[in-house]
Amino acid sequence: VNLLIINPNTTPEITALVLREATKLARPGTRLAAATGRFGAAYVASRAAFAIAGHAALDAYAEHGAGCDGVLLACFGDPGLDALKELSEVPVVGLAEASIAAAAENGRRFSIVTGGARWGPMLEEFVAARGLAGRLASVVTVAPTGAEIARDPDRALAALAAACRDAAERDGAEAVILGGAGLAGLSARIAADVPVPLIDGLAAGLAALEAAVAAGWRKPADGPFTATPPVESAGLSPALAAKLAGG
Amino acid sequence: VNLLIINPNTTPEITALVLREATKLARPGTRLAAATGRFGAAYVASRAAFAIAGHAALDAYAEHGAGCDGVLLACFGDPGLDALKELSEVPVVGLAEASIAAAAENGRRFSIVTGGARWGPMLEEFVAARGLAGRLASVVTVAPTGAEIARDPDRALAALAAACRDAAERDGAEAVILGGAGLAGLSARIAADVPVPLIDGLAAGLAALEAAVAAGWRKPADGPFTATPPVESAGLSPALAAKLAGG
Amino acid sequence: VNLLIINPNTTPEITALVLREATKLARPGTRLAAATGRFGAAYVASRAAFAIAGHAALDAYAEHGAGCDGVLLACFGDPGLDALKELSEVPVVGLAEASIAAAAENGRRFSIVTGGARWGPMLEEFVAARGLAGRLASVVTVAPTGAEIARDPDRALAALAAACRDAAERDGAEAVILGGAGLAGLSARIAADVPVPLIDGLAAGLAALEAAVAAGWRKPADGPFTATPPVESAGLSPALAAKLAGG
Amino acid sequence: VNLLIINPNTTPEITALVLREATKLARPGTRLAAATGRFGAAYVASRAAFAIAGHAALDAYAEHGAGCDGVLLACFGDPGLDALKELSEVPVVGLAEASIAAAAENGRRFSIVTGGARWGPMLEEFVAARGLAGRLASVVTVAPTGAEIARDPDRALAALAAACRDAAERDGAEAVILGGAGLAGLSARIAADVPVPLIDGLAAGLAALEAAVAAGWRKPADGPFTATPPVESAGLSPALAAKLAGG
Amino acid sequence: VNLLIINPNTTPEITALVLREATKLARPGTRLAAATGRFGAAYVASRAAFAIAGHAALDAYAEHGAGCDGVLLACFGDPGLDALKELSEVPVVGLAEASIAAAAENGRRFSIVTGGARWGPMLEEFVAARGLAGRLASVVTVAPTGAEIARDPDRALAALAAACRDAAERDGAEAVILGGAGLAGLSARIAADVPVPLIDGLAAGLAALEAAVAAGWRKPADGPFTATPPVESAGLSPALAAKLAGG
Amino acid sequence: VNLLIINPNTTPEITALVLREATKLARPGTRLAAATGRFGAAYVASRAAFAIAGHAALDAYAEHGAGCDGVLLACFGDPGLDALKELSEVPVVGLAEASIAAAAENGRRFSIVTGGARWGPMLEEFVAARGLAGRLASVVTVAPTGAEIARDPDRALAALAAACRDAAERDGAEAVILGGAGLAGLSARIAADVPVPLIDGLAAGLAALEAAVAAGWRKPADGPFTATPPVESAGLSPALAAKLAGG
């Protein structure tokens, strides 16, 4: 099984971190490749950066997706997820999407902890759009962004653990998601300090993608995620233009 | 990894069928055992039978659960699920619970197809209680119950496939769940006739349980699914009485 | 008019208390009988005990229900209510069900006060399943369970009154329900200390049942509460097995 | 117990009809008086007539309410209900309010059948404002208004019964409310033709009011239905002006 | 373009204030007239006064509406709005209705600040009935009513500004509406003290009405706001009786 | 007042059409400029094209937005709207956003009619994300996309009018929005054939933007639409990179 991890921001170090941690989590027999966004913000922590990252994710898929059996969109918040599901011939899973589905099985209410204050309302809207607003206890953000945490994780651990405890004890979460590509690998280091199940965003995403591939996923023939209808374009990469043209 | 499958009705043939099909689906390294309800309806297709099955599931867990690493509650509709989650020290997954979480990832709206007309409103209420009413396109039931389908599956295949197509084409479902312990193994035989992803209830449940065990699930220390507070009882099996007493 | 009160836990003293208080509240011409659960927890204050009590309620109805004109399920939280409605040929009313309907007429938002911390999330789910989540201001639980309050009510009065005031003043409830079979008769003793209407669970349940009988209730011929479809069973009491078999 | 029935339209014949039918339904010991609107439409079947009837109900209460123990607002749809609850020192029940509470206990979904097409959206909004939109299967109106039905009930019976059956069979209602002051007394004549419980609006309203009085209702000391804050006015009847001034 | 402003309370000074402020806000070419309620409370700050004001608004329209191109219902909370929309042949806009539509464009959540504590729950219900409950951060009321603020606005400015800041900072509103006919003209004096967009109720209402007229609004031929069906009446003003009779 | 119209697809003819029609609708004193997307699909009628258009809208604003007083995002469905609101220092209005706010004032339920089948689920999700799902009667799409309709509008008129009538008569819409930049100017040609108010997407958007500018809109100092936090980037246009860097 060949899976493509797409990091839709433009920082290769985060791509490398995610690939390294995902390799530890993957089932035997899973082969992983990873791609970085060709354009956009160094990290995604605003609506503007998010909008650009949606395009960058499509661009990366068009360039690197040939031959893969599934795509993991590795930016928690999932920019471009529905567009990528439409454009792709293989299953696509987003970190946030998979995490909230897993969290919803662990209790009535869950929280999300991540880095970067702007993600607060953006993730609330994401959860609501997935129909789970009534299950969300809170989104708790720490001040450093995922990129900053990735550069110096030791410094952020205490704040992340405190945020997770706040989610459980103050907000009533019965499960907590630790989200953020830049936070890959950190959940194991704080889980013992959190009184409720702690869901690792990368692990949840990878498990959901592996399960979909193993279950024989196939492209919907009906509904909103059938193939993108062909359309002419201008100013795009040749690979993406070809995809849009129906290639 | 040792998993216990609980069939909370009183028909051993259905237990055997589920165990046989689950064995085909399990990851390498998973060992499966199965238990049948000690009392109750021969199959569960009414609210009365469902209420009794909730007790029977607890009774079976108290008798057979020692040493297992996880429990799969193998009656689609999940009688006693929340009680079992409370009472158990290991992760518990229900077929319906896992299936609707998987379905919700495959599109905006999903349907459930199963046998036995009474399951219609019961499953609508189950989905609503899980916060996903807005995602449910329909529950489509065929007349024979799961038990009758298990006895003569060939006869039911055409009706089940037609119900799945109705769900997709008439009701707008973008994913369809084939539910029912008695229908174990049938999804592969009709998937090609269904124009949207077809989710197998048993496969979804087993995958979710294996994922929870692999992810190092642990009993919540907080929230509604912490250990059952000890209580005296009367008239129960010694094993269940001991569990309730805090054993 | 002959009404059967079912106490689905296994403590006869609570049955006697409920019968005594209900007798004070009943209309002239109402004759009351009462039955205690044959098996299960001494009192219901966990999901496990609740699941068993659902079966016990059906068992008690099968044994004692012959000839009655209506059934009052006298455990606030209503274990087995929908199953009993399905199985029974006469109207069935639960204390919680009737209380929240009455409360919803007294203001925009209501609270529930009862004994036993585990009832908090269980009652929130009950209210949500009845479609009234948006009307619920809070569930406020005091530490002693209903059984403990029944044994020494004087000790609990101050805490119950304080909980009711909290519901009104802190949580904004415009009506408060005092729930719990073990709390029967206490609402009159604290009503003067509560600044909003205080609804007595037992009084609300009995009034709703008497009204249904007086209004000429009849078994639905259509919908989810028509008669339980006949099914074979194993390991049940002869009376309940006969009921399930269509007797 | 003295109860005042307020008919907020200006047709005394409907007041007389409601009083006659309510007398048949009342508990022993209940004494009934009735008042007709002093101004407004001959019957209420539009939003304009409804708005005027809200004022007329207050006017009638100010004139005739002295000494009564409760008020039944006898226009299905309940014009002025919340204002009357605020202004009144005794419990006030509306026919529609009481009916939907009763219906919600009889099944998951209910319908309302009444006369006059304009009531369709108005009653949908009423149910939604009471938080029960998710429980409403449909509002089915027949062409003649309640006033026309009151003048010639025999002619309308077949259409009303057919509307009730449509509600149950086509729309999936598990209980049907027959609403409309002008339809008082008709439910008994068609109940046998309806396959689900048929709730009589007048009976539901009277029973709820009698229950509230019997339960010792008292004016809220807190929340939105405490006494109307005193205010000067102009152009109103002396009795209503005095009420508004805090009399 | 001729617009009629209806002040449905009975205080001509407030009518004059609204007319004066609206004149400053109107587009060139807009001619404004204003009418005061003929009966009812001196100001509307209770449910009882609100119910009467609905009738008074219809009465004023029947008397003064001839020849106007649109009606602005100038009591924030919009008593009689839907009835007036039904009865009128020209567009009708309410201050609250227009304000919440404008606020909903400025952010995810908005608050309303106004005078008079009773407006709190009344406006919450208004917003909910318009389908925007999920967008409402809070209703913050200051103690003086709109009438009291109109008499001495300087005294209320600090409290109003503080309430607006509370809405933004404590309640999370991303836009704040300053409502109340008696508060006309005050928003400009406090906007600089509020950290989020401050929406002026009168400006929003007038702009929406001017836009509707400019867009060529026409009376719906279908749906709940087609012409009031003719009905006989008693005790009303000749003008309103004629309108109800279909004149 | 200088307003910038952004057409985020790459077809200059549609930009010209929108500019021409908007000029007819603008208030005196409004000066309009227009920009076309520099990259992306020739028209937006899929999720993939939509995701790219969000980036293109930001790119166009960075290049052409200097000095304007407001931005009209002229693609019905509003790709990149929230990102643009965040990035921009002036008010931004989307055609769909403004249209549904206007429609919600015209009745309880509204429909959207536009070209291109893929817009169906995309617009349903848009309306739901704006909190108005309960108000949406339907989205009715005709087969040709907006681009095709723009090339030959006469051919599409009958189908568009029929779709609007279906929305009103079959789906119960009380107002209909005619959406789609490519449909600019067509609403006047079919309004007489539609039995309910027909809202023109471009007119609604322009009116809302003009109103916001006239009302003295200013950039929020708090909440999710404060200025984009500065971030480094790669691979973007110099103008957009500068904007993201805080320029």
Side-chain angles (χ1 to χ4, degrees):
Chain A
V1 172
N2 295 300
L3 304 183
L4 173 66
I5 298 174
I6 294 178
N7 169 21
N9 70 30
T10 52
T11 301
E13 289 78 8
I14 291 185
T15 313
L17 167 65
V18 169
L19 181 58
R20 194 165 61 236
E21 293 296 329
T23 302
K24 298 180 193 167
L25 297 162
R27 298 188 187 183
T30 295
R31 278 178 303 278
L32 298 170
T36 306
R38 202 166 50 83
F39 50 82
Y43 51 89
V44 177
S46 66
R47 291 174 194 269
F50 186 91
I52 298 165
H55 177 191
L58 298 180
D59 181 271
Y61 170 71
E63 194 68 34
H64 301 285
C68 75
D69 300 305
V71 175
L72 185 64
L73 181 60
C75 170
F76 194 91
D78 304 358
L81 179 64
D82 284 350
L84 201 46
K85 288 188 175 190
E86 183 197 76
L87 194 68
S88 166
E89 288 299 311
V90 295
V92 179
V93 168
L95 300 194
E97 172 194 49
S99 297
I100 65 175
E105 291 190 25
N106 274 276
R108 288 179 308 149
R109 300 175 80 227
F110 62 86
S111 285
I112 299 171
V113 170
T114 193
R118 287 304 179 96
W119 278 110
M122 291 163 71
L123 288 170
E124 288 174 16
E125 293 166 18
F126 180 88
V127 172
R130 251 65 192 168
L132 287 169
R135 308 290 288 277
L136 183 68
S138 58
V139 179
V140 186
T141 54
V142 298
T145 63
E148 292 163 340
I149 296 172
R151 281 197 292 272
D152 188 356
D154 291 344
R155 208 168 131 183
L157 281 180
L160 289 169
C164 292
R165 281 194 304 271
D166 277 356
E169 289 160 10
R170 182 192 61 197
D171 303 334
E174 297 161 7
V176 175
I177 297 165
L178 192 66
L183 283 65
L186 298 188
S187 68
R189 298 178 62 185
I190 63 171
D193 298 329
V194 183
V196 296
L198 184 64
I199 290 160
D200 180 82
L202 183 59
L206 186 60
L209 181 58
E210 290 178 323
V213 174
W217 184 94
R218 61 207 173 88
K219 181 73 176 177
D222 201 359
F225 294 110
T226 51
T228 301
V231 64
E232 285 179 56
S233 65
L236 302 175
S237 77
L240 182 50
K243 277 278 173 203
L244 285 182
Chain B
V1 172
N2 294 301
L3 304 183
L4 173 65
I5 298 174
I6 294 178
N7 169 22
N9 71 30
T10 51
T11 301
E13 289 77 9
I14 291 185
T15 313
L17 165 67
V18 170
L19 181 57
R20 194 165 62 236
E21 293 296 329
T23 302
K24 297 179 194 168
L25 296 162
R27 297 188 188 183
T30 295
R31 279 177 303 279
L32 298 170
T36 305
R38 202 167 51 82
F39 50 81
Y43 50 91
V44 178
S46 67
R47 291 173 193 271
F50 186 92
I52 298 165
H55 176 192
L58 297 180
D59 181 271
Y61 171 71
E63 194 68 34
H64 302 286
C68 77
D69 300 305
V71 175
L72 186 64
L73 181 59
C75 171
F76 195 92
D78 304 359
L81 179 65
D82 284 349
L84 201 46
K85 287 188 174 190
E86 183 198 74
L87 194 69
S88 165
E89 287 300 310
V90 295
V92 179
V93 168
L95 300 194
E97 172 194 48
S99 297
I100 66 174
E105 291 189 25
N106 274 276
R108 289 178 309 150
R109 303 177 76 227
F110 62 87
S111 286
I112 299 170
V113 170
T114 193
R118 288 302 178 100
W119 279 110
M122 293 164 71
L123 288 170
E124 288 174 18
E125 292 167 19
F126 179 87
V127 172
R130 252 62 191 169
L132 288 170
R135 308 288 288 278
L136 183 67
S138 59
V139 180
V140 186
T141 54
V142 299
T145 63
E148 293 163 339
I149 296 172
R151 280 196 294 272
D152 187 357
D154 290 345
R155 210 170 128 180
L157 280 180
L160 289 168
C164 293
R165 280 195 304 271
D166 277 357
E169 288 160 10
R170 181 193 62 197
D171 303 334
E174 297 162 8
V176 174
I177 297 165
L178 191 67
L183 283 65
L186 299 189
S187 69
R189 299 178 61 184
I190 63 172
D193 298 330
V194 182
V196 297
L198 184 64
I199 290 160
D200 180 82
L202 182 59
L206 185 60
L209 181 58
E210 290 178 323
V213 174
W217 185 95
R218 60 206 173 90
K219 180 74 175 177
D222 201 358
F225 294 110
T226 52
T228 301
V231 65
E232 287 180 55
S233 65
L236 301 176
S237 76
L240 183 52
K243 276 278 172 203
L244 285 182
Chain C
V1 173
N2 295 301
L3 304 183
L4 173 65
I5 297 174
I6 294 177
N7 169 22
N9 70 30
T10 52
T11 301
E13 289 78 8
I14 291 185
T15 313
L17 166 66
V18 169
L19 181 57
R20 194 165 62 237
E21 293 296 329
T23 302
K24 297 179 194 169
L25 296 163
R27 298 189 187 183
T30 295
R31 279 178 302 279
L32 297 170
T36 306
R38 203 166 50 82
F39 50 81
Y43 50 91
V44 177
S46 66
R47 290 173 194 272
F50 186 91
I52 298 165
H55 177 191
L58 298 181
D59 181 270
Y61 171 71
E63 193 68 34
H64 302 285
C68 75
D69 299 306
V71 175
L72 186 64
L73 181 59
C75 170
F76 195 89
D78 305 358
L81 179 64
D82 284 349
L84 200 46
K85 288 188 175 187
E86 183 197 77
L87 194 68
S88 165
E89 288 300 310
V90 295
V92 179
V93 168
L95 300 193
E97 173 195 47
S99 296
I100 65 174
E105 291 189 26
N106 275 275
R108 288 177 308 150
R109 303 176 77 227
F110 62 86
S111 286
I112 299 171
V113 170
T114 194
R118 287 304 178 98
W119 278 109
M122 292 163 70
L123 288 170
E124 288 174 19
E125 293 166 19
F126 180 88
V127 173
R130 251 64 191 169
L132 287 168
R135 307 289 288 277
L136 183 67
S138 59
V139 180
V140 186
T141 54
V142 298
T145 63
E148 292 162 339
I149 296 172
R151 280 196 293 272
D152 187 356
D154 291 343
R155 210 169 130 182
L157 280 181
L160 289 168
C164 291
R165 281 194 304 271
D166 277 357
E169 289 161 9
R170 183 193 61 198
D171 303 334
E174 297 162 8
V176 174
I177 298 165
L178 191 68
L183 282 66
L186 299 189
S187 68
R189 298 177 62 186
I190 62 171
D193 298 329
V194 182
V196 296
L198 184 63
I199 290 160
D200 180 82
L202 182 58
L206 186 60
L209 181 57
E210 290 178 323
V213 174
W217 185 94
R218 61 208 173 88
K219 181 73 176 177
D222 199 359
F225 294 110
T226 51
T228 301
V231 65
E232 286 180 54
S233 64
L236 301 176
S237 77
L240 183 51
K243 277 278 173 203
L244 286 182
Chain D
V1 173
N2 295 301
L3 304 183
L4 173 64
I5 298 174
I6 294 177
N7 169 21
N9 70 32
T10 52
T11 301
E13 290 77 7
I14 291 184
T15 313
L17 166 66
V18 169
L19 181 58
R20 195 165 60 236
E21 294 296 330
T23 301
K24 297 180 194 166
L25 296 163
R27 297 188 188 184
T30 295
R31 279 179 302 281
L32 298 170
T36 306
R38 202 167 49 84
F39 50 81
Y43 50 91
V44 178
S46 67
R47 291 174 193 269
F50 186 92
I52 298 165
H55 177 191
L58 297 181
D59 181 271
Y61 170 71
E63 194 69 34
H64 302 286
C68 75
D69 300 303
V71 175
L72 185 65
L73 181 58
C75 170
F76 195 91
D78 305 0
L81 179 64
D82 285 349
L84 201 46
K85 288 187 175 190
E86 183 197 75
L87 194 69
S88 166
E89 288 300 309
V90 296
V92 179
V93 168
L95 301 193
E97 173 193 47
S99 297
I100 66 175
E105 292 188 24
N106 275 275
R108 288 178 309 150
R109 301 176 79 226
F110 62 86
S111 286
I112 298 171
V113 170
T114 193
R118 288 301 178 101
W119 278 110
M122 292 165 69
L123 288 170
E124 289 174 17
E125 292 166 21
F126 179 88
V127 172
R130 252 63 192 170
L132 288 169
R135 307 289 288 278
L136 183 67
S138 59
V139 179
V140 186
T141 54
V142 299
T145 64
E148 293 163 340
I149 296 171
R151 280 196 293 272
D152 188 355
D154 291 344
R155 212 171 126 179
L157 281 180
L160 289 168
C164 292
R165 282 193 304 270
D166 277 356
E169 288 160 9
R170 181 194 61 198
D171 303 333
E174 297 161 9
V176 174
I177 297 165
L178 191 67
L183 283 64
L186 299 188
S187 69
R189 299 177 62 184
I190 62 171
D193 297 330
V194 183
V196 297
L198 184 64
I199 290 161
D200 179 82
L202 182 59
L206 186 60
L209 181 58
E210 290 178 323
V213 174
W217 184 94
R218 60 207 173 89
K219 180 74 176 177
D222 201 359
F225 294 110
T226 52
T228 301
V231 66
E232 286 179 56
S233 65
L236 302 176
S237 76
L240 182 51
K243 278 276 173 204
L244 286 182
Chain E
V1 172
N2 295 301
L3 304 183
L4 173 65
I5 298 175
I6 294 177
N7 169 22
N9 70 30
T10 52
T11 301
E13 290 77 10
I14 291 184
T15 313
L17 167 65
V18 169
L19 181 58
R20 195 165 59 238
E21 294 296 330
T23 302
K24 297 181 195 167
L25 297 162
R27 298 189 188 183
T30 295
R31 279 178 302 279
L32 298 170
T36 306
R38 204 168 46 85
F39 50 82
Y43 50 91
V44 178
S46 66
R47 290 174 194 270
F50 186 92
I52 297 165
H55 177 191
L58 297 181
D59 182 270
Y61 170 71
E63 194 68 34
H64 302 285
C68 75
D69 299 305
V71 175
L72 185 65
L73 182 60
C75 171
F76 195 91
D78 304 358
L81 179 64
D82 284 349
L84 201 45
K85 287 188 175 187
E86 183 197 76
L87 194 69
S88 166
E89 288 300 310
V90 296
V92 179
V93 167
L95 301 193
E97 172 194 49
S99 297
I100 66 174
E105 291 188 26
N106 275 275
R108 288 178 309 150
R109 302 175 79 226
F110 62 87
S111 286
I112 298 170
V113 170
T114 194
R118 288 305 178 96
W119 278 110
M122 291 164 70
L123 287 170
E124 289 174 16
E125 293 166 19
F126 180 87
V127 173
R130 252 63 192 169
L132 287 169
R135 308 289 287 278
L136 183 68
S138 58
V139 179
V140 186
T141 55
V142 298
T145 63
E148 293 163 339
I149 296 172
R151 280 195 293 272
D152 188 356
D154 291 343
R155 210 170 130 182
L157 280 180
L160 289 168
C164 292
R165 282 194 303 271
D166 277 357
E169 289 160 11
R170 182 192 62 199
D171 303 334
E174 297 160 9
V176 175
I177 297 165
L178 191 67
L183 283 64
L186 299 188
S187 68
R189 300 178 62 185
I190 62 172
D193 298 329
V194 183
V196 297
L198 183 64
I199 290 161
D200 180 81
L202 183 59
L206 186 60
L209 181 58
E210 290 178 323
V213 174
W217 184 93
R218 59 204 174 91
K219 181 74 176 175
D222 201 358
F225 295 110
T226 51
T228 301
V231 65
E232 286 180 55
S233 65
L236 301 176
S237 77
L240 183 51
K243 277 278 173 204
L244 286 182
Chain F
V1 173
N2 295 301
L3 305 183
L4 173 64
I5 298 174
I6 294 178
N7 169 21
N9 70 31
T10 51
T11 301
E13 288 78 7
I14 291 185
T15 314
L17 165 66
V18 169
L19 181 58
R20 194 164 61 236
E21 294 296 330
T23 301
K24 297 179 195 168
L25 297 162
R27 297 189 188 182
T30 296
R31 279 178 301 280
L32 298 169
T36 306
R38 203 167 49 84
F39 50 82
Y43 50 90
V44 178
S46 66
R47 291 173 194 271
F50 186 92
I52 297 164
H55 177 190
L58 297 181
D59 181 90
Y61 170 71
E63 194 69 32
H64 301 285
C68 75
D69 299 304
V71 175
L72 185 65
L73 181 59
C75 170
F76 195 91
D78 304 358
L81 179 65
D82 284 350
L84 200 46
K85 288 188 175 189
E86 183 197 74
L87 193 69
S88 166
E89 289 300 310
V90 295
V92 179
V93 168
L95 300 193
E97 173 194 47
S99 296
I100 66 175
E105 291 189 25
N106 276 276
R108 288 178 309 150
R109 303 176 78 228
F110 62 87
S111 286
I112 299 170
V113 169
T114 194
R118 288 303 178 98
W119 278 109
M122 292 164 71
L123 287 171
E124 288 175 16
E125 293 166 19
F126 179 89
V127 172
R130 251 64 192 168
L132 288 170
R135 307 290 287 279
L136 183 67
S138 59
V139 179
V140 185
T141 54
V142 298
T145 63
E148 292 162 340
I149 296 172
R151 279 197 293 273
D152 188 357
D154 291 344
R155 209 170 129 182
L157 281 180
L160 289 168
C164 292
R165 280 194 306 270
D166 276 357
E169 289 160 9
R170 181 193 62 197
D171 304 333
E174 297 161 8
V176 174
I177 297 165
L178 191 67
L183 283 64
L186 298 188
S187 68
R189 299 177 62 185
I190 62 172
D193 298 329
V194 182
V196 297
L198 183 64
I199 290 160
D200 180 81
L202 182 59
L206 186 60
L209 181 59
E210 290 178 323
V213 173
W217 185 94
R218 62 208 172 89
K219 180 76 175 175
D222 200 0
F225 294 110
T226 52
T228 301
V231 65
E232 285 179 57
S233 65
L236 302 176
S237 77
L240 183 51
K243 277 277 171 203
L244 286 182

